[in-house]
Amino acid sequence: MKFCTCVFALASCLSTPNVMAIAHNVHVDVAVIGGGSSGIHAAINLKDAGATVVVIEKKSQIGGYAETYINPKTKVPANIGVILFENTQTVQKYLSRLGVAVAKHNPFKETPSTQMYDFSLGVAVPAENRSEAVATERAMAAAMQTYSQNILSKYPWIDQGYHVPYPVPQELLLPFGQFAQQNNFSAILPLISQLNWYPGNIITIPTLYGIKKFGPGLLQSVSSEFLVAASGDT
């Protein structure tokens, strides 16, 4: 099938992806709407498979949430969107295809400098003392093992899109907090909340979305290392 489209910002997935502005009709096999990471990943795979492709993006640059601000005076990059990437074969292949040099990093293994707040009470959460921190680390390690062995192994399709069985298993419709409590992994809910896209109370969302976000790739990266752009510019 051929598409005929008139666009003003086009990311063209050539052998070396680049961006060009056009204002005329383009005849291609596939038009991808949106130049975020998913759109670019799809476009490159289609291009490599032999299709002609355009990516239609409303911004002046591609990347979506992988956006970097570079201070015009110091030239120091500051990532204002995506900072970490899951350390999986899919991501490794994708970044390699784009020619992005990567390094490995895990901020969760560093001494935490984050101040936690209880927004329901409007107060800061006191920092744990050493013995409390050790107990929390042990509880989280046990919870991650339980989560991996009992939850992710039960739903191996969870990291492969939304090919959800019908009917949807009833437990996947439970509030995520209730499901976590029933399955003994409540200790990692604060961690999942830090990594999750959901801006509200994570314990209230359906379990399907909770475990979909914290899938095997993310769990593996949290347990070992994430990928980051070696340049510091995502």
Side-chain angles (χ1 to χ4, degrees), residues 39-149:
I40 298 302
H41 183 262
I44 288 176
N45 284 336
L46 288 164
K47 172 65 179 177
D48 290 346
T52 56
V53 187
V54 292
V55 178
I56 303 171
E57 169 58 46
K58 65 180 180 180
K59 293 184 178 180
S60 60
Q61 65 180 30
I62 59 175
Y65 288 113
E67 188 170 349
T68 303
Y69 170 77
I70 299 178
N71 188 303
K73 292 184 178 180
T74 64
K75 307 302 180 184
V76 174
N79 295 312
I80 57 177
V82 176
I83 299 175
L84 304 170
F85 298 90
E86 292 183 11
N87 190 2
T88 64
Q89 289 186 350
T90 299
V91 177
Q92 292 169 7
K93 182 179 178 181
Y94 174 49
L95 295 178
S96 175
R97 177 65 177 80
L98 291 174
V100 176
V102 298
K104 294 181 179 180
H105 176 60
N106 192 337
F108 297 102
K109 292 185 177 181
E110 300 173 352
T111 302
S113 58
T114 302
Q115 175 65 60
M116 305 294 288
Y117 289 87
D118 185 336
F119 286 101
S120 65
L121 300 176
V123 298
V125 177
E128 295 178 325
N129 59 39
R130 180 56 185 165
S131 61
E132 291 173 333
V134 170
T136 297
E137 289 176 5
R138 290 175 178 171
M140 289 181 63
M144 283 197 285
Q145 184 174 11
T146 297
Y147 184 78
S148 176
Q149 293 178 349

